[in-house]
Amino acid sequence: MAGLSDLSGSPEDAVAASVGRVVGTEDSTPLEFAVALAPGAYLQLDDVVATEREVPGVGVVVTSGVVTEVRARHEGATFGSDVFLISDGVLPAQVQEIAEIMTTRVEPECYVPPRPGELVRRATGAERAQALYFDRMDKRVAAGLGRDGEPVYLNLEFLDGTRGGHVSISGISGVATKTSFALFLLYSLFTGGALGRRALNSKALVFSVKGEDLLFLDRPNVHLDDDLRADYARLDLVAAPFGSVGFFAPPMPDDPSGRPHVVGRTHGIAAFWWTLGEFCSRELLPYAFADAEDERNQYTMVIHQVASRLKREVSAVGDSGAVMIEGQVLRTYDDLVEFVSDRLTDEDARRDWAGPVTGVGTVNAFLRRLRSSLKPLRGIVRGDLPDTPGRRVTTEHTQVTVVDLHNLPERAQRFVVGVTLAAETARKEQAGPGGLLFTMIDELNKYAPREGSSPIKEVLLDIAERGRSLGIILVGAQQTASEVERRIVSNSSVKIVGRLDPAEAGRPEYGFLPPTQRARAVLAKPGTMFVSQPEIPVPLAVEFPFPAWATRESEAVEPAAAPAGTAPGAAGTNGGRRRDPFAGLPGADDPPPF
C-alpha cells in the first residue's frame, strides 16, 4: 500500500488529500484513536479512514478504522453563552470537529498506536476494501451500500457453513424491514455469483406469516425504473424478480375441492395439507402440542405413547387419506380426536393407549389440549380430499418455496413450521451437503422462545447446532433477540439489526453493537441495517435497494401465461390442477382480429 507521502507524489499533495490529523489531546491506542478534522474537511459516521506511521524494524504500519462518533465544539469557550460572543467576533475561538475511530485492521499486524499529528485520509477503492477485509473474501455476497455509497459485502464462508452459518435479524415489526432484507440477501446469494455452480442446487424455504405480501416474488415491481436498476448494478446485481418460485397455502376451510385459501393470487399456487394416514404413520401428533411450556408437563408422555400407538395400528383406506384404526374408519381430524378420546376414557383401553401407570388427571390434561387442537388443525389434517402430488410442501421443484401461513391460527402455524422443517431436514440429511437449504423464518421468538421446550424448538436447535454441516442455514427474523433461545442466536455467524425498541437495544444480546450504534439503531430509518460478521470487528451500516420484486399485490406486474409442464406448486400452475383451457381466448371487450 502506498504511503501518504507517496499518495500524490509530494508531501504537499499528501496533506491536501488528508481529512485531518491524529489528535494529541486524547490517548491513541491500537484499537481506538481520534482525528482532528482539517478546515473544510468532514467525516461522517461509518466513513472508513486510514493513517500510518513508521516503525523501526517493521516499516510502514497502516491502521484503518471506521468512524463511530463525530463531535464539534468551540475551542476557547468556557460558558454556553460564549457562543453568541464568538459569533459576534468579540471572543476569539475556533470550531473544531473530532472524529472517533474504531480500528478494523492493522497491516502489517504490529499493534502500535497511531502517533499524534500523523495525517489521516479517507480510505477509498482498494484501500477501503483492505480496511474492511473485503480483499480477503474469496467469495463475496453483496449486502447493500455503505454510507459512502460503496458496496458492503458478507463473506460467503460465514453463510454457507464453511466457517460458520446462520443469520439472525432483529428489529421492530413494520419498521426494521427484516423480511425485506432477508429476501434481498437470498436474492443476492442466488443471483450474485458467489455460490457459483452450487446456486443450481441451493434452495430457500420461506414461511410467510404477514398477509399475502410474499406471494408475488416472481412478479416485477411496478416501481422498477432506471434508478432502481442502477442501484442494483452498483452491487453487480440485476434488478429482477425471483426466477424460480413455488407457492403453497392451506386449503379453503370447508371447501371439498381443496382450493388454496388466498385472495390476491388466483393461480400459480398449490394447497397443502397432511392426510390422516401421514399424521399417524409419521407420528406428527407431538407437533399439535407445540406450545413452549408443554414439555414441562407430565401429559407429554401420553403424547408420545398415543403417537406410537397410532403408528402401529393405522392402515390406509382408499386414496383420500382416510384411515382404519382397530376396525374403525376415520375420515376427518375430528373423527381421529374423537376416537382417541374414546380409547383414553375407556377403562380397559386406557392402559394400552396411555400407559399402565398414567393417572386419570394426566390423561384428562392431554385430552383437553387435544380437543383444543380441533379448530386449528382440522383444515390441514384431512382424510376427505383426493390425494394430489402438488399438495406436499417440498423444495425440490423450485429454488424458492414460499409457504403462506397468515390465514392459519397460531397453533396451526407452529404445526406447519415444525412438520415441514423436520421433513426438509430429514430429506436434506439423506441427500447430503452438496446443495444448500436456506430456511427463512419470521417471528422466530414464537417458535424457539428462550424458556421451555417443544418439538419445533428442538428442530430449530438441531438446525442451529449442526445444520451447517448438513448444508441447512437458518435465516431467523425476530422483533426481540432477547426472547429467542440463546443457543440459536449465539450460533448465528451473521447478526443484523434494524430499528430497535429503546428498551430492547439495552439488552446484552446486542453487545456486539458499539454504544453509538445502539443509539443509532433506535433512530434507524427503514432500509438501514447494521451488519456484524466475524471478520470485521465493527458492525457496518448498510442500506439495501428497494425490492425489484413485488412485495404486495398492488405492486405486481401482471404475469405472462404459464408455460406448459410447469412443476406443481411452481409459479404458473394452480396447485397441480389443470388451467382453464379458455383462459387465453379474447375477452368480450377485445376487438375482432380483422
Side-chain angles (χ1 to χ4, degrees):
M1 182 186 297
L4 276 171
S5 59
D6 300 329
L7 191 62
S8 302
S10 69
E12 292 78 10
D13 292 331
V15 173
S18 68
V19 293
R21 294 179 181 272
V22 179
V23 300
T25 56
E26 299 181 20
D27 293 340
S28 291
T29 73
L31 302 181
E32 292 181 335
F33 60 96
V35 178
L37 300 183
Y42 79 95
L43 284 175
Q44 65 172 331
L45 296 177
D46 307 310
D47 275 348
V48 184
V49 299
T51 184
E52 58 190 41
R53 62 172 289 184
E54 186 80 26
V55 178
V58 177
V60 177
V61 174
V62 179
T63 302
S64 307
V66 173
V67 178
T68 58
E69 185 64 283
V70 183
R71 62 183 186 271
R73 63 175 298 171
H74 268 136
E75 291 186 338
T78 304
F79 305 104
S81 59
D82 287 348
V83 66
F84 300 104
L85 299 175
I86 296 171
S87 298
D88 295 336
V90 176
L91 184 66
Q94 180 177 349
V95 175
Q96 183 60 61
E97 294 185 35
I98 303 292
E100 295 181 0
I101 314 298
M102 183 172 289
T103 300
T104 57
R105 187 169 180 178
V106 178
E107 192 69 31
E109 291 189 353
C110 177
Y111 285 90
V112 293
R115 292 177 62 88
E118 295 289 356
L119 292 172
V120 178
R121 64 182 177 271
R122 183 180 279 107
T124 59
E127 189 173 50
R128 175 182 179 272
Q130 184 179 29
L132 300 178
Y133 290 87
F134 296 159
D135 62 327
R136 289 191 177 181
M137 298 180 183
D138 294 332
K139 297 180 179 179
R140 305 182 300 186
V141 179
L145 297 172
R147 294 289 298 168
D148 55 2
E150 296 298 320
V152 173
Y153 299 99
L154 294 173
N155 192 339
L156 180 64
E157 293 184 349
F158 294 104
L159 289 173
D160 66 358
T162 303
R163 298 166 60 189
H166 313 307
V167 180
S168 175
I169 309 176
S170 305
I172 298 175
S173 178
V175 180
T177 57
K178 304 184 298 295
T179 303
S180 298
F181 184 80
L183 290 172
F184 173 77
L185 186 59
L186 291 177
Y187 182 81
S188 182
L189 277 164
F190 291 148
T191 64
L195 288 174
R197 294 183 178 180
R198 286 192 299 171
L200 299 174
N201 295 323
S202 296
K203 312 284 187 177
L205 177 63
V206 179
F207 294 98
S208 174
V209 296
K210 297 177 181 176
E212 298 183 7
D213 293 351
L214 301 189
L215 297 183
F216 304 95
L217 301 182
D218 59 332
R219 310 265 190 93
N221 197 304
V222 294
H223 301 297
L224 183 60
D225 54 18
D226 291 340
D227 291 338
L228 185 55
R229 291 187 180 92
D231 290 340
Y232 278 81
R234 291 163 71 185
L235 297 169
D236 294 325
L237 299 174
V238 177
F242 286 85
S244 174
V245 193
F247 301 94
F248 292 88
M252 193 79 70
D254 304 320
D255 183 4
S257 65
R259 291 180 302 157
H261 189 190
V262 292
V263 177
R265 189 178 185 111
T266 58
H267 66 278
I269 186 168
F272 69 85
W273 68 87
W274 287 267
T275 66
L276 288 176
E278 291 172 334
F279 186 85
C280 297
S281 63
R282 291 170 53 184
E283 297 187 80
L284 302 184
L285 180 63
Y287 295 99
F289 298 78
D291 295 330
E293 71 275 12
D294 283 341
E295 287 296 316
R296 296 181 294 177
N297 294 277
Q298 293 184 356
Y299 67 81
T300 55
M301 67 180 74
V302 182
I303 297 175
H304 299 288
Q305 183 77 14
V306 172
S308 178
R309 182 78 179 187
L310 289 173
K311 180 179 181 179
R312 292 198 305 268
E313 299 291 339
V314 69
S315 60
V317 176
D319 60 355
S320 62
V323 296
M324 178 181 290
I325 302 177
E326 294 185 352
Q328 187 169 336
V329 177
L330 310 176
R331 299 189 181 277
T332 65
Y333 185 68
D334 295 58
D335 293 342
L336 178 63
V337 171
E338 190 63 30
F339 172 81
V340 173
S341 298
D342 291 341
R343 290 299 181 270
L344 292 180
T345 54
D346 182 86
E347 294 291 341
D348 297 330
R350 183 188 301 151
R351 294 173 57 88
D352 295 332
W353 281 82
V357 296
T358 305
V360 176
T362 301
V363 170
N364 289 338
F366 166 82
L367 289 177
R368 285 195 301 271
R369 288 159 175 81
L370 178 63
R371 293 190 181 103
S372 69
S373 71
L374 280 172
K375 183 177 180 180
L377 298 187
R378 62 163 57 104
I380 55 176
V381 180
R382 310 288 289 267
D384 57 344
L385 293 176
D387 195 4
T388 58
R391 71 166 178 84
R392 294 176 176 84
V393 177
T394 178
T395 59
E396 294 183 6
H397 304 300
T398 54
Q399 187 169 58
V400 179
T401 301
V402 178
V403 183
D404 179 55
L405 305 176
H406 83 279
N407 279 321
L408 291 176
E410 186 171 310
R411 188 166 180 177
Q413 292 180 11
R414 288 195 181 103
F415 178 87
V416 174
V417 171
V419 173
T420 304
L421 282 181
E424 284 297 308
T425 300
R427 185 186 67 82
K428 189 68 178 66
E429 192 167 5
Q430 292 178 356
L436 296 172
L437 174 62
F438 296 91
T439 303
M440 175 181 156
I441 302 180
D442 201 359
E443 305 296 343
L444 186 60
N445 52 293
K446 182 168 64 176
Y447 305 107
R450 176 150 298 188
E451 304 297 333
S453 182
S454 71
I456 299 176
K457 184 175 178 179
E458 295 304 319
V459 171
L460 290 171
L461 274 172
D462 185 47
I463 292 175
E465 293 177 341
R466 70 183 189 98
R468 71 184 186 93
S469 64
L470 303 175
I472 304 176
I473 306 301
L474 178 64
V475 181
Q478 59 278 327
Q479 295 186 43
T480 52
S482 60
E483 296 180 2
V484 178
E485 167 61 41
R486 289 185 179 90
R487 286 176 289 174
I488 293 179
V489 176
S490 62
N491 275 289
S492 299
S493 297
V494 178
K495 297 180 176 65
I496 300 167
V497 171
R499 177 79 169 266
L500 287 177
D501 177 84
E504 178 69 9
R507 303 274 185 161
E509 285 73 20
Y510 304 96
F512 61 91
L513 292 174
T516 53
Q517 289 194 351
R518 288 203 193 197
R520 291 171 62 195
V522 177
L523 306 173
K525 66 179 183 179
T528 298
M529 315 296 286
F530 298 94
V531 179
S532 172
Q533 55 183 318
E535 276 186 325
I536 305 176
V538 182
L540 303 179
V542 302
E543 294 184 2
F544 62 98
F546 190 80
W549 47 89
T551 60
R552 56 180 60 90
E553 183 182 4
S554 60
E555 295 179 348
V557 176
E558 287 299 320
T566 308
T573 69
N574 192 12
R577 293 183 292 279
R578 297 179 60 185
R579 295 189 299 115
D580 181 4
F582 303 103
L585 294 181
D589 297 332
D590 292 339
F594 50 80

